[in-house]
Amino acid sequence: MAQYWVQSIILLAVACIVTMLCVPFSSWLAAKTGAIDHPSARRVNTAPIPRLGGVAMFLGMVAALLVLALGIFAFGWETPFGYHELLNDVSYFWLGVSVLIIFLVGLFDDIRSLNPKVKFAGQVLAACVAAGAGLLLVGIQVPGHVYVNFGLWAYPITVVYLVAFANIINLIDGLDGLASGIALIATLGMAGSLIFVGKPDQTLFHFAFAGALVGFLRYNYNPASVFLGDSGSMLIGFLVATLPLATQAPNSFLVSVGVPMLAMGVPIFDTALAIVRRSLRRIILRRDKSQAGGGDVMTADSDHLHHRILRAAKLNQRRAAWVLYLTASFFVVVGLCGMLFESKAAGLWLFAVAAA
């Protein structure tokens, strides 16, 4: 167990340090390619900010994985998770391909502004590759010990699940450090759920991901000097969705789906609210294109949850971000507490609290 914690700390430190070292490179690349977020009515930044922070995070996580491989083959690291099999298993190769696809789609969108249909097709392709590699949401166990097996529906359900998560982080990425901070809370919550079920050895990837997020937050926390961009937000959302599928405990709803969805409760709620809001606006203001959103469901607006809290916080970004950090942390605690109770009544009560 002590060796596991040493490995976790090493991977977290490597991902954090490499990400911090690569942020200046990503900013330089953004300047060269024109991937800059300029101030606008919807944006909170008052100066041009580079938006290729995802490049630094991707390089940080790749560095951590290389160190893991080096530790296994050169120093004989023993890991109960079975990383020797992992490195030789073709399914994990395709998992890596799916992550690379989602990163490249976001990167090209940051640089060239892809057509929304092309961008969506790239997200679906990445999700299909991951599902084909065996990362499937095969079923869920709801409170009361009732297990629902998805059968053949596992493939389309998994694709929808992965594509949805790839996009919800993008929608919440409207304040300095907000998306990366919530993702960090979610990642630590997922690691905690694995520790609760007696599988701490399966959290090495979680700590590597957390290290990259911490390294990026060094530059993204208010006042931010770099933004995630789609290359970062889509990558984060996709990883938050795939990590629990790669390490899910059999028949465990809370580990495979429950805690991740509770931890991402803020962006999930905001996304659902945005769809309802824009749909109603389209019906009511169909002929009035001067209003925010223009009556189009796909048109961005400034009525997201973080925009509303920011206005309530008198434009104090740090205060608004911490309100949402604490909200996300509350959801994580609810999920983890639910794992401590075996009774049906306790589990249902905790889920009711989260839903409320």
Side-chain angles (χ1 to χ4, degrees):
M1 185 61 68
Q3 182 185 10
Y4 152 72
W5 286 112
V6 171
Q7 294 171 2
S8 299
I9 293 172
I10 291 175
L11 294 185
L12 187 149
V14 168
C16 179
I17 293 171
V18 173
T19 299
M20 286 193 294
L21 292 176
C22 289
V23 166
F25 165 73
S26 68
S27 298
W28 171 84
L29 183 63
K32 288 293 184 180
T33 58
I36 303 293
D37 274 349
H38 295 279
S40 68
R42 285 193 64 254
R43 301 189 184 279
V44 296
N45 54 302
T46 57
I49 303 291
R51 62 168 182 264
L52 289 184
V55 173
M57 288 193 58
F58 180 78
L59 294 176
M61 287 183 286
V62 168
L65 293 180
L66 291 176
V67 168
L68 175 61
L70 179 65
I72 292 174
F73 290 110
F75 300 101
W77 282 9
E78 294 294 335
T79 54
F81 184 50
Y83 286 107
H84 287 89
E85 291 78 8
L86 181 152
L87 294 171
N88 293 317
D89 192 335
V90 68
S91 64
Y92 285 95
F93 167 78
W94 288 110
L95 170 59
V97 171
S98 69
V99 174
L100 180 61
I101 290 173
I102 202 74
F103 168 70
L104 291 178
V105 169
L107 181 62
F108 280 112
D109 188 50
D110 285 332
I111 296 175
R112 299 299 181 194
S113 296
L114 293 177
N115 181 287
K117 293 181 180 179
V118 174
K119 179 179 174 181
F120 179 73
Q123 294 172 345
V124 172
L125 175 61
C128 287
V129 171
L135 264 74
L136 291 173
L137 189 58
V138 295
I140 59 174
Q141 181 174 335
V142 298
H145 306 289
V146 178
Y147 185 72
V148 180
N149 193 309
F150 293 147
L152 292 178
W153 285 98
Y155 287 92
I157 289 174
T158 300
V159 171
V160 171
Y161 168 73
L162 294 178
V163 171
F165 265 68
N167 284 285
I168 61 175
I169 284 291
N170 187 38
L171 289 178
I172 201 69
D173 187 25
L175 297 179
D176 293 352
L178 179 57
S180 47
I182 287 181
L184 177 60
I185 294 169
T187 303
L188 294 177
M190 291 187 293
S193 69
L194 286 168
I195 293 172
F196 274 30
V197 295
K199 296 188 177 182
D201 49 283
Q202 296 192 11
T203 61
L204 292 181
F205 287 156
H206 295 74
F207 282 108
F209 185 30
L213 289 167
V214 170
F216 179 71
L217 269 170
R218 163 65 180 80
Y219 293 90
N220 188 234
Y221 190 67
N222 182 261
S225 59
V226 64
F227 289 159
L228 277 172
D230 280 2
S231 61
S233 62
M234 287 169 51
L235 176 66
I236 287 176
F238 196 77
L239 284 173
V240 168
T242 54
L243 279 176
L245 295 182
T247 57
Q248 62 182 315
N251 298 353
S252 177
F253 170 76
L254 280 170
V255 174
S256 60
V257 180
V259 170
M261 294 196 72
L262 285 171
M264 300 299 287
V266 170
I268 289 174
F269 176 77
D270 185 58
T271 301
L273 192 63
I275 293 173
V276 173
R277 179 178 67 248
R278 294 174 187 178
S279 297
L280 291 175
R281 180 176 293 147
R282 183 179 183 182
I283 295 172
I284 298 172
L285 304 175
R286 182 172 297 176
R287 297 184 179 181
D288 186 357
K289 300 297 183 180
S290 64
Q291 299 294 323
D296 189 347
V297 176
M298 299 303 294
T299 301
D301 57 30
S302 58
D303 287 325
H304 284 286
L305 190 60
H306 54 273
H307 288 132
R308 294 174 179 270
I309 293 178
L310 181 62
R311 290 194 288 268
K314 299 180 180 179
L315 304 182
N316 186 317
Q317 286 199 57
R318 292 191 179 187
R319 187 181 303 167
W322 272 100
V323 169
L324 293 171
Y325 288 164
L326 293 174
T327 304
S329 299
F330 168 75
F331 286 142
V332 169
V333 171
V334 167
L336 295 179
C337 287
M339 301 182 71
L340 297 176
F341 298 98
E342 295 182 357
S343 69
K344 176 180 178 180
L348 289 174
W349 181 82
L350 288 168
F351 273 91
V353 171

